Structures are given as structure tokens and as C-alpha cells.
């Protein structure tokens, strides 16, 4: 079946050969454009609200959020979105950025914490947006979708079950299907990385060693997926079998490039998340030791004296 038109009114038929300059021209997908502008506006409103109240909000978090939104806009609101409908390699850049880079940056922006601090309490017995958000965070639904037994298989299935089944071709036949797929990739990235390195409170928050294990449980599958595409001797996804002639590309070579992108991207976020995790661990240990020091100052090292007395009693008993 020839998917060269992708049910897109033939709009990809006359795309000129891909260059980065052409790819980054403004393409304005309305759905993601509105979403990105809304994301920046709401975050900015919340930060201003805190400032007016005299509360500080870390600049680093605002920068991380803005960068996260910009990465989504770069792959979805430019001509990369048009090229991604016709070229497997460009589509893979979109997929990897929106599922593995954007979520990390957005989560480092701590949007849930910001919302909880900025939204007003509704008052006794009433339920406003803040109360609904708290209820959602404590819900069984949230416990399930952020648990590694759910997030890791979902993360892996989003690659293998989607690309190697007819579902991918079906979704790529329409703008709505393509948008739904990209929203899914973003959502999967958010629920996968949130328990691992999100700053926000969440129902599932394991220790740091466990978080690293969760991270490394998902990443090799990305690498294997990339290698499978690179090693294939024929095109594996119908949508990209017949690229428009105007692009001047060969389907198999483009698929090999897509595999290389998927493989490389499995390494990059791992390093970023690992650095973020180690930093968070260090900060948490530092806070803990400061708390211990303050407690010791308050009670004149009473805990240490009690512990020494306990050890001495054990020693006396052991004689």
C-alpha cells in the first residue's frame, strides 16, 4: 500500500529536500502551538502570583520549564512536523525529543509544586482546583500510572507495539492521529520520568538506588529498538516505504538513520537524568545532615550520648 500521501491531501508530495534550516521554519501546528503558549502563560502567572505574595521560586525551575516547552515547540510547531510525516528519521527526532527530553525538562520545572503553592485554597468544605489536584495526586489511579510495574512496560510498548503493528500506519494517516500519538509520547515520558527524577510530590517515590534501577530498566530497550531499525535489510514501517520523490531520499537509508537517532537518544537522557538524580541525592543528604546537626545543637548531642549509653549497656551485658 502506498502511503506517500499519508491521507494528508498530498501536502508532503512537494516537500523540498530536508535541511535543518527548512526543518526549523515556523510550521505552526495549532494544537501544540496553543498548548505551548498556554503552558508558558500559566506557569508565568503562577510564578508572578508567588512573587506578589513575597514568596521566592527558584529561577532554575522556571528555566527548565521554559526549555521543556521550547523543545516541544521546536519539534511540533515547525516544519519538522511536516517532514516528520514523510521521513522516518525526522519523525524519530520528534518522538525522541518529545518523549525523552521534553518530559525531563518539564518535570525539573516542578509544575505540580508550583500549582499547589499558587492556587488558592477553596475554603472549608468546598472543592476548588487546588483540592481537586491534591485529590488526584492521592488517588489510586495516580498510584497505578506512576508505578514502575506500569510505567516501564508502557515505555517499552510505546516503541515495539506501536511501530511494529498496523496502529502506527493508521495513526499516521491523519493529522489528528499524528497529534494523538505525539501527546501519548509526551504523557508516557512524563509518567516514566516523574517517579525517577521529578521534583514534584508523587504517590510513588522510591529511594535513589531504586530510581536508578528504574531508569536503566527502560533504556536498553530503546537502544535495542534503534539497533533493530539499523540492522533491518528492508523497510519495517509502511508509512515511510515510499517517501515523496521531491525529498530525494531512499527509504532504507532513512530508516537506518532513524535507528541511529533512537539508539543515540537512549544514552543522552540517561546521562542527564543520572546527573539530576545524583545532584538531588546529594542535596537530600546535605539537608538530612543539617537537620541532624540542628537537632544535636538543640539537645546538646543527647541522641549521641543516649546511643553511647545503649552501646555501653550492650557491652556490659555481653561480659
Amino acid at each position: 500500500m502506498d502511503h506517500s500521501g499519508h491521507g494528508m491531501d498530498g501536502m508532503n508530495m512537494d516537500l523540498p529536500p530536508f535541511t535543518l534550516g527548512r526543518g526549523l521554519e515556523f510550521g505552526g501546528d495549532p494544537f501544540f502551538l496553543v498548548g505551548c503558549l498556554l503552558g508558558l502563560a500559566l506557569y508565568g502567572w503562577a510564578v508572578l502570583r508567588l512573587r506578589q505574595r513575597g514568596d521566592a521560586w527558584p529561577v532554575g525551575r522556571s528555566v527548565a520549564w521554559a526549555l521543556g516547552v521550547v523543545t516541544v515547540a521546536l519539534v511540533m510547531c515547525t516544519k519538522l512536523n511536516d517532514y516528520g510525516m514523510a521521513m522516518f528519521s525526522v519523525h524519530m527526532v520528534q518522538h525522541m525529543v518529545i518523549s525523552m527530553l521534553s518530559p525531563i525538562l518539564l518535570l525539573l520545572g516542578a509544575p505540580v509544586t508550583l500549582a499547589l503553592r499558587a492556587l488558592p485554597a477553596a475554603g472549608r468544605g468546598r472543592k476548588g482546583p487546588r483540592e481537586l489536584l491534591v485529590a488526584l495526586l492521592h488517588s489510586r489511579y495516580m498510584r497505578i500510572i506512576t508505578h514502575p510495574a506500569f510505567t516501564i512496560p508502557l515505555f517499552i510498548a510505546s516503541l515495539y507495539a506501536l511501530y511494529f503493528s498496523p496502529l502506527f500506519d493508521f495513526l499516521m494517516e491523519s493529522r489528528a492521529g499524528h497529534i494523538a500519538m505525539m501527546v501519548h509520547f509526551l504523557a508516557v515520558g512524563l509518567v516514566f520520568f516523574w517517579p525517577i527524577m521529578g521534583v514534584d510530590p508523587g504517590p510513588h517515590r522510591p529511594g535513589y538506588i531504586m530510581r536508578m534501577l528504574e531508569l536503566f530498566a527502560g533504556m536498553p530497550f530503546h537502544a535495542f529498538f534503534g539497533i533493530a531499525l539499523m540492522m533491518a535489510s528492508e523497510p519495517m514501517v509502511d508509512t515511510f516505504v515510499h517517501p515523496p520523490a521531491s525529498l530525494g531520499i531512499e527509504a532504507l537509508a532513512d530508516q537506518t538513520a532513524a535507528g541511529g537517532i533512537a539508539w543515540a537518544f537512549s544514552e543522552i537522557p540517561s546521562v542527564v537524568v543520572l546527573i539530576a538524580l545524583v545532584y538531588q541525592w546529594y542535596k537530600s543528604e546535605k539537608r538530612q545532615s543539617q537537620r541532624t546537626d540542628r537537632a544535636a545543637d538543640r539537645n546538646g548531642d543527647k541522641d549521641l550520648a543516649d546511643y553511647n549509653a545503649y552501646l555501653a549497656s550492650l557491652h556490659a551485658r555481653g561480659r
Side-chain angles (χ1 to χ4, degrees):
M1 184 178 174
D2 187 341
H3 280 269
S4 55
H6 309 312
M8 300 294 296
D9 306 320
M11 65 168 294
N12 290 326
M13 298 302 281
D14 54 357
L15 280 174
F18 178 79
T19 64
L20 192 56
R22 283 177 186 147
L24 292 177
E25 284 172 19
F26 179 69
D29 179 272
F31 179 88
F32 276 97
L33 189 58
V34 170
C36 288
L37 292 173
L38 208 57
L40 288 175
L42 289 172
Y43 196 95
W45 168 83
V47 171
L48 278 176
R49 197 177 155 82
L50 290 190
R51 288 267 164 81
Q52 285 164 355
R53 217 165 57 196
D55 291 343
W57 182 253
V59 175
R61 288 184 185 176
S62 300
V63 170
W65 176 264
L67 286 173
V69 173
V70 165
T71 56
V72 172
L74 268 177
V75 294
M76 295 310 303
C77 303
T78 61
K79 286 284 197 294
L80 285 178
N81 203 29
D82 293 340
Y83 279 101
M85 297 296 293
M87 291 176 67
F88 201 175
S89 54
V90 177
H91 167 84
M92 195 55 72
V93 169
Q94 285 183 287
H95 176 172
M96 293 296 131
V97 168
I98 211 167
S99 71
M100 296 180 76
L101 181 59
S102 307
I104 293 169
L105 293 166
L106 292 172
L107 288 165
L108 289 174
V112 176
T113 303
L114 179 62
L116 289 172
R117 286 180 61 185
L119 289 169
R124 186 170 295 175
R126 302 225 309 280
K127 280 199 172 176
R130 190 179 188 282
E131 288 69 27
L132 292 171
L133 180 58
V134 170
L136 178 66
L137 286 172
H138 291 116
S139 66
R140 179 182 291 177
Y141 167 76
M142 202 51 99
R143 274 204 301 277
I144 292 167
I145 69 159
T146 58
H147 195 279
F150 180 84
T151 60
I152 295 170
L154 181 69
F155 194 65
I156 296 161
S158 286
L159 284 174
Y160 294 88
L162 185 66
Y163 285 96
F164 302 149
S165 79
L167 181 60
F168 181 82
D169 296 320
F170 169 72
L171 291 171
M172 287 293 281
E173 282 178 1
S174 67
R175 271 270 181 228
H178 186 231
I179 287 170
M181 180 167 36
M182 289 300 173
V183 169
H184 168 78
F185 289 151
L186 182 60
V188 168
L190 287 168
V191 295
F192 177 75
F193 288 112
W194 180 15
I196 295 173
M197 45 64 66
V199 186
D200 287 321
H204 172 67
R205 187 64 66 181
Y208 286 96
I209 298 290
M210 206 53 215
R211 292 193 214 179
M212 289 178 189
L213 291 175
E214 278 181 41
L215 172 67
F216 292 119
M219 290 306 147
F221 291 94
H222 257 262
F224 294 149
F225 172 75
I227 291 164
L229 289 180
M230 289 165 78
M231 302 291 282
S233 55
E234 57 184 47
M236 294 172 77
V237 179
D238 281 356
T239 298
F240 302 111
V241 167
H242 301 288
S246 62
L247 286 171
I249 59 167
E250 197 265 314
L252 192 59
D254 189 48
Q255 177 174 284
T256 305
I261 290 160
W263 176 69
F265 247 98
S266 64
E267 307 304 317
I268 298 163
S270 306
V271 173
V272 173
V273 173
L274 206 53
I275 291 167
L277 261 182
V278 169
Y279 179 69
Q280 286 174 10
W281 196 352
Y282 162 74
K283 293 259 287 192
S284 144
E285 291 291 320
K286 199 174 167 186
R287 275 197 301 273
Q288 186 59 45
S289 101
Q290 283 170 347
R291 273 200 293 272
T292 310
D293 290 348
R294 276 200 300 274
D297 289 344
R298 274 200 303 275
N299 64 18
D301 282 340
K302 183 175 178 302
D303 290 346
L304 189 59
D306 289 349
Y307 184 61
N308 285 335
Y310 169 69
L311 288 179
S313 74
L314 287 181
H315 184 63
R317 228 175 291 160
R319 276 207 187 123

